[in-house]
Amino acid sequence: MGGIVILTGAGVSAESGLGTFRDKGGLWTRYDLTEVATPEGFARNPRLVHDFYNARRANALDSSPNAAHQALAQLTTRYTGEVLLVTQNIDDLHERAGATGVVHMHGEITRALCAVCETRWDAPRVMDPDDACPSCAARATRPDIVWFGEMPYHMDRIVTALEAADLFVAIGTSGEVYPAAGFVDIAAEAGAETLEINLEPTPAPGRFDRVLTGPAAVAVPAWVETVLAEA
Ligand code: OAD
């Protein structure tokens, strides 16, 4: 079976009660991203940034995977070809649904990172700017999240998989943030078929070969069923 690369965004977790960023009422309509999601914002006011991510962590830990996460988990465990599930989401709902090998290109809300020695560990539910790094004791701990202006994680591995894929699927992402927004072009250039699954088609018609519209918790299980039936 051909290889599949899947990219998920906030829309896949929307029906689990986690807010998206750019939809009506989304996080970036309520918070200034330059204050809470950049290294400069963190340097100016670490407490504000920790408060923002403490709220995101509480929200994620108190939510449950939905039918879209569950269907994608089935795909990672039952599809006989290669599947790489890449997510821009910082929640752990793909893993809690049972998905294997999830690549978190924008980091993970459940992990902490020392800005001095780069040690990583499981984040407590509430992080504080005065927390000490368990390795070097510096008081410079941050959530292990990729902020604007920082390089997303695992890019070499993702690009290699995109170049070898037969199918690329973007699910619940607005396609506004690079480099993830450019994955469809890398995959198409290398000969893959491309599919978008979203509540509504994203702008730039024709960018994907096919578009399936609908809420992820309905559209994704239906699509996964067809893929597993053909396999
Ligand atoms: P956005 O908020 O930009 O886009 C969410 C997408 O999900 C939109 O295209 C919606 O139409 C779609 N959507 C909403 N509800 C849905 C549902 N129930 N089913 C299917 N689709 C639905 O979120 P992302 O594209 O994930 O990065 O944003 C990308 C990055 O920007 C995030 O990873 C984050 C953010 O700033 C960082 O913080 C580094």
Side-chain angles (χ1 to χ4, degrees):
M1 294 307 298
I4 304 177
V5 177
I6 296 162
L7 172 71
T8 63
V12 91
S13 295
E15 289 154 273
S16 292
L18 300 186
T20 62
F21 295 95
R22 296 175 181 79
D23 295 316
K24 195 162 176 281
L27 284 169
W28 295 156
T29 68
R30 291 183 285 129
Y31 293 89
D32 180 350
L33 75 82
T34 60
E35 294 306 323
V36 298
T38 62
E40 295 77 18
F42 186 62
R44 273 193 297 273
N45 192 343
R47 187 162 298 282
L48 177 80
V49 175
H50 274 301
D51 286 349
F52 174 76
Y53 286 101
N54 286 339
R56 307 279 76 72
R57 191 177 303 104
N59 200 192
L61 293 176
D62 294 343
S63 68
S64 303
N66 65 50
H69 299 106
Q70 277 149 3
L72 292 173
Q74 291 268 309
L75 194 66
T76 65
T77 55
R78 289 182 39 205
Y79 186 68
T80 49
E82 293 284 322
V83 182
L84 185 66
L85 177 52
V86 180
T87 188
Q88 299 166 88
N89 298 344
I90 58 177
D91 65 61
D92 61 353
L93 295 177
H94 284 306
E95 287 89 345
R96 279 160 55 199
T100 54
V102 182
V103 172
H104 281 271
M105 63 178 292
H106 289 168
E108 295 173 71
I109 192 66
T110 52
R111 301 281 289 165
L113 165 67
C114 175
V116 173
C117 74
E118 297 190 4
T119 293
R120 290 180 164 82
W121 65 98
D122 286 338
R125 188 177 170 101
V126 178
M127 292 184 70
D128 186 279
D130 293 330
D131 291 343
C133 168
S135 178
C136 75
R139 295 186 192 281
T141 66
R142 52 173 279 185
D144 190 8
I145 305 292
V146 176
W147 287 325
F148 287 91
E150 296 182 322
M151 179 59 82
Y153 298 153
H154 312 296
M155 283 304 296
D156 287 352
R157 191 172 159 212
I158 296 168
V159 170
T160 300
L162 288 168
E163 288 173 345
D166 292 298
L167 175 64
F168 170 73
V169 190
I171 305 175
T173 176
S174 61
E176 292 204 18
V177 176
Y178 282 82
F183 290 175
V184 57
D185 304 315
I186 298 173
E189 180 77 12
E193 183 194 354
T194 58
L195 168 67
E196 172 171 78
I197 304 178
N198 200 302
L199 203 50
E200 52 198 32
T202 53
R207 200 162 185 207
F208 288 83
D209 298 322
R210 281 196 299 148
V211 179
L212 296 173
T213 49
V218 176
V220 174
W223 170 70
V224 168
E225 198 176 322
T226 63
V227 174
L228 291 177
E230 284 165 12

